[in-house]
Every structure is written in structure tokens, then in C-alpha cells.
Amino acid sequence: PPCPARVHVTLTVATMAARSVAGRGLNLSGLRRVRALWREDVQRISLAELWSDSDHTEEGQLQRAQATHRAVKVRIAQRLQDFLFLPYKAMADPCVRAIYEKYVDAYNMHEDFGHPKNLADSQEYWLGLAHVFEQNQNVTTLLGKGRRRLVRLDPGLAPKLDGFIGRFFVSRMGTHLLGANFLHQAALPPGAKKPAGVAMGVLQHTSPATFVQDLASSLSSTRTGPEVPVEIEGDVDTTIVYIPGHLRGILREVLQNSIRHSAKIAEASGVSVAAPVRVKINHGQFGVFVTISDRAGGIEHLENVWNWGEDPGLLQQASDEEATYEDDDDVEPDHEDPSRIRPMRLPLGFGLPLARLTARYFGGDLRLQTLVGHGTNAYIHIPELQQEGNFDVDSTSGS
């Protein structure tokens, strides 16, 4: 199967450096330098930096490259600390090890590249960082597969792994925002193409209702079985300043759960059209509130849906097929070479926790209210991201 698309440019110092460090690991002196960065405070990033137009002067481009290079390097080093303090069993897992090696490679690229000194360096760094983005697109799936395998091996690892996973995703979101913002705002090097995911660092006016309509249509077209109507009401014409990809991810996870379980209830009842999933959108003083309601039977043991991955006890009896679902947008590692990816299945159990983490990261929330035997209401708060003020894009990096 084809690998993810690379940046189509002539090989340069940064891209060659990024590829040459692959698999090199950390030597003792490199580990000492990484440890020194563990003690540094993570820079706070203002929303204005994500929203404002870029300074396209040579000095502005250089300053942006220098700030991004330093901040991303510190964040990667502090994530390496979390990896190195995982139990030996966890680091021995091929998928977890593959993610760790990707982070080591990204750190080594920053270390080898050095501090950008001129505009040419800024463009070289852009290419090196774009390559890192391409190489890290499948880490969520790798982490899900690793967690599943490790917990089946030793259920006692679950609390330690789940704490690590929560910190990993908060840090990853911040690092991705910072890097994506640079890749979007900086002048594009000649012949270069932006890697996938760069839009995740850009604030835009976004329509929740349009996303719901598109998602409902897409989810309906890719599944078989009973029809599940999706009814949208409220402030359907409203927009909000947000990062579109993150909002889409939150809505997609909740909506697809409601549609999937509504279809199952209808199929079990022998009807061709399920009870509708109702979506209500309200735009108030504190942002947008989206309520997604279904009559899909409710959720038993609601407290467990926020755990990363599946319940350790259930994993001891579950087969691989029972715990996966089709997702054409995702990939999974090759079992013999975890760094290779191929389109297949997405491990269950990460969707809702990651959706809630994303909402809370930007000051919002995702809450569920369920009545077993009837249905579930999902309440999503999406605050308007104003240009003023700061937010810490990596608040747990040092923990």
C-alpha cells in the first residue's frame, strides 16, 4: 500500500537531516541535553498568534521559525521524559516503541538542525517540520493498538497507561497547534506542499450546523441497515470562531455513536427507520451549545465511557474483531513493522475521551446524560475563541 504523501520538493538540508536521524536513537550526550530541557517551562501561546496575519518580512519569518523551533523542541523533549518513565513492559511493545522512536527522530531533527539564523534556514526548517508532521500522522492508532495489547497482557498496566495517554494527547494537541500554525503562517518554500493537518492550527469562522449536516450525510452513505434521520433545529445559521477540524472531530464522535446505536435498536426491533437523532444548536453569551439526543437505549456504566480504551476485564475475553470498527480515514500498523501503516480498522475506546479532552482543552466541555432503556443526551459546549488572552497549549507537559 502507498505511504502517506511526502512534501514534493528537492531534498534539502532539513529534509535530509530528518530522514537521516530515523532510527538513530538517543546517545548519552543527547539524553543529557534532553534531560536539561525537562526543567524548562513551556511557553504560553496567545490566541492572537493563531489568528493574526503573518509577518512576511524576512525578520518576521525568521523570528517565527526561531520561536517555533525552540518551543517544539522543548515540548518534544518533555514528552520523551514521559516515555522514559513508562514501565519496561510498555516500552517493549512494538507500537509504543514505534511512537517513542518517532519522537526521538523529531527531537534529533531539531537538535541537528540548530537555531535558524536566516530566511534560508527558516525555509529549511519548514521542510524539516513538514516531514515530521507526515511521519507522525498515525500515532493515535499506534497508541490505541499498543494500549489494547498491553492491557490484555497485564490489566494492571491500565491506570499507568491511561494517565500517560491523557498527558500525551494534551501535549500532542499543543505541539501540533504550534507547529501547524508555523507551517500555515510562514511563507511556503518554493515547490513545497503543506502536510495534512496544518489546518488544525488555524482559527476560522465555523458553522456547527453545516458540520452536523455533512457528517449525517457522510455517516448515512457509508453504512447499511435501518435509516437514521438526523433533525437539526435552533440557531442553524450561526457561526463561531474555532478550529474547524477540532469541532468536526468532537461532533463526529458523538453523532456517529448516536447513529450507530440508534440503527442497532431499530434493527433489533425489525423496523426500517430508526427514531430520529435530534440536534439542537444554541448560540449564547458563552459560545455555542450543541445538544445531541437519541433514543438508542441509554448507556450502562456511564462512568466507564471516559476511560481510554476498553475495560481491562472485557479485554481478557474479547477478540480483536469484537473491539474494532471500520474507519476508512484511519490506519493501523503492520504487525511485523509497526512504523508501516495501512488502511484498516480503528481501535475502540479513544473516541469519546479524546472528544471531551479536545473540548476541554479550549475551555469547553462534553457531558453525557443517559436513561438506561430510553436514550442519551450529549451536551457539547464550544466557547468562542477570542483573539484576546492567552492559553497554555501544553499545560501538562511537565507532569
Side-chain angles (χ1 to χ4, degrees):
C3 293
R6 299 277 199 269
V7 178
H8 299 291
V9 293
T10 304
L11 284 179
T12 59
V13 174
T15 50
M16 288 189 291
R19 295 179 186 185
S20 67
V21 300
R24 192 181 76 196
L26 284 174
N27 57 28
L28 187 58
S29 61
L31 182 58
R32 290 195 184 103
R33 290 191 292 273
V34 168
R35 291 182 64 184
L37 295 176
W38 294 352
R39 298 187 293 271
E40 289 202 14
D41 292 332
V42 172
Q43 175 190 359
R44 292 176 66 85
I45 304 298
S46 69
L47 289 172
E49 290 182 77
L50 294 178
W51 183 254
S52 63
D53 293 331
S54 178
D55 180 356
H56 290 288
T57 66
E58 183 172 339
E59 181 180 0
Q61 294 294 298
L62 179 59
Q63 289 177 350
R64 184 178 292 275
Q66 290 171 339
T68 303
H69 177 275
R70 181 62 183 176
V72 171
K73 181 180 176 180
V74 171
R75 285 169 171 79
I76 293 171
Q78 294 187 354
R79 286 282 53 78
L80 289 175
Q81 178 185 21
D82 222 9
F83 275 103
L84 292 170
F85 282 92
L86 278 173
Y88 174 79
K89 288 180 185 178
M91 287 297 289
D93 179 81
C95 288
V96 176
R97 187 75 188 180
I99 303 171
Y100 168 74
E101 290 171 354
K102 288 176 183 290
Y103 271 64
V104 170
D105 290 347
Y107 174 81
N108 283 336
M109 186 280 286
H110 283 79
E111 180 84 1
D112 292 350
F113 186 79
H115 194 61
K117 300 179 181 63
N118 50 48
L119 182 60
D121 284 353
S122 299
Q123 294 191 328
E124 295 284 356
Y125 177 60
W126 191 102
L127 295 169
L129 188 60
H131 181 76
V132 169
F133 261 59
E134 295 287 0
Q135 293 300 303
N136 283 267
Q137 288 181 12
N138 68 325
V139 298
T140 299
T141 302
L142 285 170
L143 192 55
K145 298 286 285 187
R147 194 262 185 199
R148 176 176 173 77
R149 182 161 46 210
L150 285 165
V151 173
R152 291 185 72 175
L153 174 70
D154 182 358
L157 287 173
K160 183 80 172 179
L161 287 173
D162 291 352
F164 167 83
I165 291 169
R167 295 189 300 272
F168 175 87
F169 278 122
V170 170
S171 172
R172 176 174 168 78
M173 195 174 299
T175 305
H176 192 281
L177 271 173
L178 187 61
N181 179 249
F182 169 71
L183 292 173
H184 176 75
Q185 297 278 25
L188 198 68
K193 293 183 179 180
K194 293 180 182 178
V198 169
M200 289 293 196
V202 183
L203 288 169
Q204 297 178 17
H205 286 279
T206 306
S207 167
T210 298
F211 274 157
V212 172
Q213 291 168 348
D214 292 345
L215 288 167
S217 176
S218 174
L219 292 168
S220 296
S221 65
T222 56
R223 53 173 303 279
T224 59
E227 177 188 350
V228 183
V230 176
E231 301 175 355
I232 308 172
E233 60 182 40
D235 297 328
V236 296
D237 296 324
T238 195
T239 63
I240 190 168
V241 177
Y242 208 74
I243 298 176
H246 287 310
L247 178 56
R248 182 181 177 87
I250 295 168
L251 294 173
R252 181 180 188 271
E253 180 58 33
V254 178
L255 191 61
Q256 74 177 359
N257 282 340
S258 289
I259 290 176
R260 183 185 302 119
H261 292 291
S262 295
K264 286 183 178 179
I265 291 292
E267 188 171 23
S269 303
V271 298
S272 59
V273 180
V277 173
R278 291 189 167 90
V279 180
K280 186 171 184 179
I281 300 171
N282 293 302
H283 196 165
Q285 179 181 357
F286 300 105
V288 169
F289 294 83
V290 180
T291 303
I292 300 178
S293 305
D294 64 54
R295 285 183 279 168
I299 305 171
E300 294 188 23
H301 309 296
L302 181 62
E303 66 280 1
N304 293 335
V305 304
W306 304 117
N307 297 333
W308 292 104
E310 299 147 276
D311 180 80
L314 295 177
L315 274 176
Q316 301 310 298
Q317 292 82 35
S319 70
D320 289 335
E321 291 302 312
E322 289 171 339
T324 58
Y325 66 88
E326 295 288 352
D327 191 328
D328 295 333
D329 296 329
D330 219 318
V331 292
E332 72 169 7
D334 184 287
H335 289 294
E336 297 188 4
D337 180 3
S339 65
R340 293 177 57 198
I341 56 176
R342 61 178 184 269
M344 278 193 68
R345 294 173 181 266
L346 179 70
L348 288 178
F350 274 42
L352 280 173
L354 190 53
R356 185 173 73 167
L357 183 149
T358 303
R360 289 182 172 182
Y361 184 90
F362 293 104
D365 205 356
L366 165 59
R367 296 180 181 274
L368 300 179
Q369 183 181 47
T370 192
L371 180 62
V372 175
H374 181 70
T376 302
N377 288 348
Y379 302 101
I380 305 167
H381 173 212
I382 306 295
E384 187 126 22
L385 299 183
Q386 303 294 335
Q387 298 181 41
E388 298 80 13
N390 291 336
F391 71 98
D392 187 344
V393 302
D394 206 2
S395 60
T396 67
S397 65
S399 59

